[in-house]
Amino acid sequence: YTVHFLNANFEMRNYCLAVENVDESHTAANLANSLSEQTNAWTSDSQRAAEIKIAVVSDNAANVQAAISKVPSCISVKCFDHTLQLAINDAVQHCTELKTCIQKAKSITTHFKHSSQNTKKLMEREKQLGLQQLKLKQECITRWNSKFDMLERLVFVKDAVSSVVASVKNVQGLSASEWEVAEEYVNVFKPFKVLTATMSSATSPTISMVIPELNK
């Protein structure tokens, strides 16, 4: 549980209130009990008597949303960044060519990430081509923008990757058209990465930025 607020000088502050290990099933009822305990622990009798509402920012999971609705003192504010990432994932799922490209990119990245020797070969080739010596990045399904980061890095060191992969039997490289797809993905989704980072700020309030940023 984290709390975010403005102090008397209108400066953003955020703190970790609690970390809980939830052994029981993550049902809405169990999560609501946990949320109630924390709100009671960190609010005063006068605040509760005044029925001051607490805005709870969370992901879109049905059990979490149901839990928040069960606590009278809380109102739900769905995380904009999480919703944005869900929209991006849905878009990818509707593009077969892009899905194939991403799967191949993950296989290529895994080949290098699982072997320091292979990574060394890649970095040596990057040096020979006059490129910055960089390791590849793997997608992590729970980390926002990691799919973008993976493809952006691959595209940046494209020539070195293609050269090394061509000499490997058990890894299938990207075709010319798939490299084009990867490059287009990076161009199209870069603004979304910037937006995600902007809306993840812990030093400035962001809820007022949702509508104008979304329209941009």
Side-chain angles (χ1 to χ4, degrees):
Y1 289 93
T2 62
V3 62
H4 306 258
F5 60 92
L6 291 168
N7 65 12
N9 296 320
F10 285 90
E11 298 167 326
M12 282 290 294
R13 292 288 182 265
N14 60 85
Y15 298 97
C16 178
L17 299 182
V19 178
E20 288 188 350
N21 178 34
V22 184
D23 292 322
E24 59 270 6
S25 177
H26 293 190
T27 63
N30 288 335
L31 294 177
N33 288 336
S34 175
L35 181 57
S36 293
E37 290 174 2
Q38 291 301 326
T39 54
N40 289 334
W42 291 96
T43 54
S44 65
D45 292 337
S46 59
Q47 285 175 316
R48 291 193 291 275
E51 297 184 348
I52 294 175
K53 293 290 186 180
I54 300 170
V56 180
V57 182
S58 71
D59 63 23
N60 294 270
N63 59 334
V64 176
Q65 292 300 317
I68 297 170
S69 69
K70 292 177 181 292
V71 183
S73 61
C74 296
I75 56 173
S76 172
V77 179
K78 295 181 180 179
C79 175
F80 173 76
D81 272 345
H82 184 242
T83 305
L84 181 65
Q85 295 300 314
L86 291 177
I88 292 171
N89 291 338
D90 283 348
V92 171
Q93 290 302 314
H94 283 80
C95 183
T96 303
E97 190 177 14
L98 181 54
K99 284 171 63 178
T100 302
C101 175
I102 290 171
Q103 286 302 318
K104 283 189 176 182
K106 289 174 70 173
S107 296
I108 293 170
T109 303
T110 299
H111 170 75
F112 289 102
K113 296 292 284 185
H114 286 185
S115 169
S116 57
Q117 188 175 12
N118 292 334
T119 298
K120 184 180 178 182
K121 288 180 181 178
L122 175 63
M123 297 184 78
E124 287 175 349
R125 188 60 181 142
E126 289 171 348
K127 185 177 181 180
Q128 291 171 358
L129 293 171
L131 299 172
Q132 185 178 352
Q133 291 179 273
L134 298 169
K135 295 180 180 180
L136 299 185
K137 295 182 178 181
Q138 182 60 282
E139 178 191 14
C140 174
I141 194 169
T142 57
R143 191 164 67 83
W144 292 342
N145 294 316
S146 61
K147 188 184 282 90
F148 172 89
D149 291 337
M150 176 182 69
L151 290 177
E152 182 184 45
R153 178 58 55 84
L154 271 176
V155 168
F156 189 78
V157 294
K158 168 187 171 182
D159 292 339
V161 169
S162 297
S163 176
V164 176
V165 169
S167 63
V168 178
K169 294 181 179 179
N170 59 340
V171 179
Q172 188 176 8
L174 297 181
S175 66
S177 61
E178 287 168 340
W179 277 115
E180 289 181 6
V181 169
E183 289 168 359
E184 288 176 6
Y185 178 95
V186 171
N187 288 332
V188 169
F189 283 96
K190 189 162 189 175
F192 291 91
K193 179 178 180 178
V194 174
L195 177 56
T196 302
T198 300
M199 299 301 288
S200 297
S201 173
T203 58
S204 60
T206 54
I207 196 167
S208 62
M209 298 164 58
V210 170
I211 292 175
E213 289 292 342
L214 189 58
N215 285 332
K216 274 169 58 181

